Each structure stands twice: as structure tokens, then as C-alpha cells.
């Protein structure tokens, strides 16, 4: 589907364990730095209770969820941008993701090694963030050298990169600059890490109320105008959060006590994603698209034939479908709309595409 969430942090903070939970994988998660070297990639089913409701009404034989891709990236250390701990390689893995999940240790356990031999979430965050900044700084410097030697390049791109370089040299992330949408398009090809949205995950112990590390982290994240999801990663690894049953007795089951789905939902929010559905007796399927996607672009998501031969889209909102399906009043109440190519798909739309090849 093309949307990647990179899981980063210092070594031994719970990244690989979180990855295993999200993707139901079984990669090693051992108590020593750099247990992970190559990035592990897996898919996580996106729980959406609307699929259950639609399936019950239509008695569908199959449910197909949408998925998000997660990348477990090896732990970064101070000096990663200069190659320490294979840092350059790991930083390039982050550059190829769309959103960053930063796992931070907020628990005390002498049996689990901490690379700095102390529990200090603010210091840990600053170490990682500085390596991201330095990595972009190095890239920015290299690209400016190339551009200044190429007389065909527009001065505007050079000026934007110089603006970014100055900001990075002052220890700031590029996303805190007031760049216009045009500016962002001009530098999109560089895939700067510090432009990516970040979600913080606080790996906590059992005692939330008296967890001073968590309190410090929440204060820090609040100052950043960001969000943080506290989670007991090692406890979550012991319980299932999502089961899929694709048979005549279709059902999606989520462990309501789990916060794992919160991570996926917040990833949707950061990436500005939404879901539309195709629904019938044979199958209920969820599709992930960017907010602002038109109906013809959504049709292409399903099949290129839908895109090439697009006639119109028959659309009904999820809410209207649930309210009116049982009494067969969807058509009579005018809840099913015919929309053209430029219709902006809304979250929860149920769409039937009409096309001709």
C-alpha cells in the first residue's frame, strides 16, 4: 500500500518487541545492543469495527482488512550520523519511511541493559533527534554542493536548502520551519528525515501513577505539541489484540484492553489517511487512501480498469447505510448518490464504481 512506519529508538527499548506485536512476527528481541541489524518489515492489520457491522448486515462470506507496513530499524546511538553502530545504514532505512514511531524507555529494570546506564527519556529523545538532525544536515550540505555546480538548477531550490541548512545547524528539525507547500514539493526528492511526522511511544512499567520518567516525557511531548502513547510493551506481547476469521462465520475480535490499535490509528492520523469500503455478499473490503483523494483516484486503488473506464461512483456513507439498509430505504431516501471523477471521498464511504472498458 506504500505507507511505511519506521520504529526507532535507542537499543534495548522494546522496538523489536513492539514490531512483533504489531505484525504478529517472531523476530529476535534479545537483551543486548544491535540485536537487529537488517530492518525487519511486516504488515499490521488495521482493526475497524465498521467491517464487523457491515458484514453482519450483508452476511458477507469474507472480510478483508486494510494494512499498514511497519519497519523495525536497529537501535541508534550517539554518533550514528558519523557511522557509529552502523548508524549511517540505519538512518537511511528511516529515510525510506513515511512516519516515525520513536520508542522511549520509561521503566526501571536492572536486568535489561541501557546503553547509557541510566533511565532518562528526555536525554534519550535528544540523542536520537540530534542524530536525525545531523543526518539531514550532512545530506543538505552534499546536495547544495551538487546544485551550486549545476547552472541549470533554479535559485529557489538552492535558497530553500540554504534555509533548511541554517535551521539544521541551529539544532532544529526542518518540520519546524514555516515552509510553503511549493517549498515542500521542491525539496521532496531529498526525503529529509526531520520532515517526517513523529509518534512517541513510552515503554512503561506497571506503576503509571508514580512513574517520574513518564511524567517528564509527557511534559516534553506537550511542549513539542506532539502526542505520546504510554504502553506496557512487554505485557502487550503476551496477549493477542486482533484475530481474523475469514470464513462463513466472519468476525473481527480486538482485545479492548490493548493500546496497540491506538498506535495504528494515530499513525493514520499522522499520515492523513482514511478508509473507504467496497461491500457485497461475497466480500467486505477496506481500502486506505489519503484524505483529499478523488473518486477516480480511489477507483485506481482497486484496479486500473476502474480508473481507465470510470463512468461514475455510487456512494453512500457508512452511517446512512447502517441506518437504512435493513428497511430497504437506501434508494427511496436518496442516500445513494451518483458522483463524478472529482468527488472527494470521505472516511467511511461505501462505493460501487461503474466503469466501461
Amino acid at each position: 500500500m506504500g505507507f511505511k512506519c519506521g520504529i526507532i529508538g535507542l537499543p534495548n527499548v522494546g522496538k523489536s518487541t513492539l514490531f512483533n506485536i504489531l505484525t504478529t512476527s517472531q523476530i529476535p528481541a534479545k537483551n543486548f545492543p544491535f540485536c537487529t541489524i537488517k530492518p525487519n518489515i511486516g504488515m499490521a492489520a488495521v482493526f475497524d469495527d465498521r467491517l464487523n457491522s457491515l458484514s453482519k448486515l450483508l452476511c458477507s462470506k469474507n472480510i478483508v482488512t486494510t494494512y499498514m507496513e511497519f519497519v523495525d530499524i536497529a537501535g541508534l546511538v550517539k554518533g550514528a550520523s558519523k557511522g557509529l553502530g552502523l548508524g549511517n545504514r540505519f538512518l537511511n532505512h528511516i529515510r525510506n519511511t513515511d512516519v516515525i514511531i520513536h520508542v522511549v524507555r520509561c521503566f526501571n529494570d536492572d536486568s535489561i541493559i541501557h546503553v547509557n546506564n541510566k533511565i532518562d527519556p528526555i536525554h534519550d529523545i535528544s540523542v536520537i533527534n540530534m542524530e536525525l538532525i545531523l543526518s539531514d544536515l550532512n545530506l543538505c550540505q552534499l546536495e547544495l554542493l551538487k546544485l551550486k555546480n549545476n547552472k541549470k538548477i533554479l535559485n529557489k531550490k538552492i535558497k530553500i536548502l540554504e534555509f533548511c541548512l541554517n535551521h539544521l545547524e541551529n539544532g532544529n528539525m526542518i518540520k519546524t520551519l514555516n515552509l510553503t507547500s511549493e517549498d515542500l514539493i521542491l525539496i521532496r526528492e531529498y526525503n529529509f528525515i526531520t520532515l517526517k511526522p513523529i509518534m512517541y511511544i513510552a515503554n512503561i512499567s506497571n506503576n503509571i501513577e508514580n512513574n517520574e520518567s513518564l511524567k517528564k516525557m509527557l511534559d516534553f511531548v506537550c511542549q513539542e505539541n506532539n502526542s505520546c502513547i504510554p504502553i506496557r510493551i512487554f505485557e502487550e506481547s503476551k496477549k493477542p489484540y486482533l484475530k481474523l476469521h475469514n470464513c462463513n462465520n466472519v468476525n473481527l475480535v480486538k482485545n479492548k484492553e490493548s493500546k496497540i490499535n491506538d498506535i495504528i490509528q494515530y499513525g493514520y492520523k499522522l499520515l492523513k489517511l482514511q478508509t473507504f469500503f467496497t461491500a457485497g455478499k461475497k466480500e467486505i473490503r477496506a481500502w486506505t487512501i489519503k484524505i483529499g483523494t478523488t473518486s477516480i483516484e480511489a477507483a485506481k486503488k482497486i484496479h486500473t480498469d476502474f480508473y481507465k473506464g470510470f463512468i461514475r461512483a455510487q456512494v453512500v456513507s457508512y452511517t446512512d447505510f447502517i441506518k437504512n439498509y435493513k428497511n430497504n430505504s437506501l434508494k427511496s431516501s436518496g442516500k445513494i448518490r451518483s458522483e463524478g471523477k472529482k468527488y472527494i471521498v470521505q472516511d467511511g464511504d461505501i462505493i460501487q464504481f461503474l466503469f466501461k472498458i
Side-chain angles (χ1 to χ4, degrees):
M1 55 170 284
F3 300 111
K4 292 184 180 180
C5 301
I7 305 174
I8 70 167
L10 291 174
N12 284 14
V13 295
K15 300 183 305 299
S16 294
T17 305
L18 178 62
F19 173 83
N20 282 339
I21 302 166
L22 286 164
T23 63
T24 61
S25 301
Q26 298 294 327
I27 64 165
K30 298 179 180 178
N31 185 24
F32 59 84
F34 307 116
C35 170
T36 302
I37 298 296
K38 293 181 180 179
N40 298 296
I41 300 173
M43 306 299 288
V46 179
F47 178 84
D48 193 324
D49 197 46
R50 293 176 295 185
L51 288 168
N52 269 338
S53 300
L54 290 171
S55 180
K56 287 174 183 177
L57 280 177
L58 293 169
C59 300
S60 300
K61 293 180 180 180
N62 197 29
I63 286 180
V64 182
T65 66
T66 186
Y67 288 82
M68 290 195 74
E69 185 172 341
F70 288 87
V71 184
D72 175 36
I73 296 164
L76 297 172
V77 294
K78 187 175 182 180
S81 58
K82 296 180 181 178
L84 292 184
L86 300 177
N88 283 324
R89 189 189 303 176
F90 300 162
L91 285 161
N92 283 334
H93 296 156
I94 301 169
R95 202 172 293 286
N96 293 321
T97 63
D98 300 295
V99 66
I100 296 171
I101 298 175
H102 187 168
V103 182
V104 183
R105 178 172 172 174
C106 292
F107 67 90
N108 292 301
D109 188 337
D110 293 337
S111 67
I112 299 178
I113 300 166
H114 190 292
V115 290
N116 295 323
N117 296 316
K118 63 177 181 179
I119 307 302
D120 186 345
I122 308 308
H123 176 265
D124 293 353
I125 290 171
S126 67
V127 168
I128 297 295
N129 285 352
M130 184 51 65
E131 294 308 317
L132 303 183
I133 289 168
L134 290 173
S135 179
D136 275 357
L137 177 63
N138 293 336
L139 176 61
C140 202
Q141 288 172 332
L142 289 171
E143 294 302 328
L144 274 170
L145 283 174
K146 292 178 187 177
L147 293 178
K148 287 178 179 178
N149 291 326
N150 187 344
K151 295 180 180 179
K152 295 181 181 179
I153 299 297
L154 294 173
N155 287 331
K156 185 170 179 61
K157 181 181 278 190
I158 292 175
K159 286 180 180 178
I160 296 168
L161 286 177
E162 287 176 337
F163 191 34
C164 292
L165 180 63
N166 181 65
H167 199 62
L168 291 163
E169 286 176 333
N170 288 315
N172 301 306
M173 293 189 168
I174 296 175
K175 64 183 175 183
T176 60
L177 274 173
N178 189 25
L179 295 175
T180 67
S181 56
E182 183 185 353
D183 295 337
L184 292 171
I185 290 171
L186 282 173
I187 63 171
R188 181 170 52 192
E189 63 186 282
Y190 304 117
N191 214 3
F192 287 119
I193 299 174
T194 61
L195 264 176
K196 300 180 187 299
I198 296 178
M199 177 196 320
Y200 289 105
I201 303 295
N203 190 3
I204 59 175
S205 59
N206 291 331
N207 193 349
I208 299 177
E209 291 76 16
N210 299 318
N211 190 323
E212 293 300 323
S213 294
L214 177 60
K215 290 177 183 177
K216 289 178 182 178
M217 183 170 174
L218 292 175
D219 288 342
F220 170 84
V221 171
C222 186
Q223 290 172 13
E224 264 201 357
N225 196 27
N226 207 326
S227 295
C228 173
I229 300 176
I231 180 172
R232 299 184 183 97
I233 291 177
F234 300 115
E235 281 193 16
E236 290 281 352
S237 65
K238 299 175 184 177
K239 56 188 180 183
Y241 87 102
L242 180 65
K243 294 179 181 178
L244 301 179
H245 301 283
N246 292 326
C247 56
N248 291 333
N249 185 21
V250 182
N251 194 24
L252 282 170
V253 181
K254 180 172 77 78
N255 185 329
K256 293 182 180 180
E257 296 178 358
S258 175
K259 285 195 173 183
I260 293 299
N261 196 61
D262 293 345
I263 296 172
I264 296 175
Q265 294 300 327
Y266 192 61
Y268 256 51
K269 182 178 178 181
L270 288 176
L271 288 168
K272 298 180 180 178
L273 303 177
Q274 63 182 10
T275 303
F276 77 91
F277 304 102
T278 50
K281 297 289 184 181
K282 288 185 178 180
E283 180 180 276
I284 306 289
R285 182 184 287 260
W287 302 87
T288 299
I289 55 173
K290 283 275 189 181
I291 292 173
T293 296
T294 62
S295 55
I296 193 168
E297 290 168 337
K300 190 176 184 180
K301 181 86 176 176
I302 299 174
H303 200 285
T304 53
D305 285 350
F306 285 26
Y307 172 79
K308 292 176 182 177
F310 183 95
I311 299 173
R312 64 182 178 274
Q314 299 289 93
V315 183
V316 57
S317 74
Y318 168 80
T319 303
D320 287 338
F321 188 91
I322 295 297
K323 285 182 179 179
N324 296 278
Y325 181 78
K326 278 188 176 180
N327 56 18
N328 296 316
S329 61
L330 280 170
K331 288 186 178 179
S332 61
S333 61
K335 299 301 181 183
I336 300 177
R337 312 181 311 275
S338 289
E339 302 287 358
K341 297 178 180 179
K342 295 182 180 180
Y343 169 71
I344 303 299
V345 178
Q346 302 299 305
D347 183 63
D349 276 351
I350 301 167
I351 307 178
Q352 179 186 10
F353 293 102
L354 303 181
F355 67 100
K356 182 179 180 180
I357 298 298

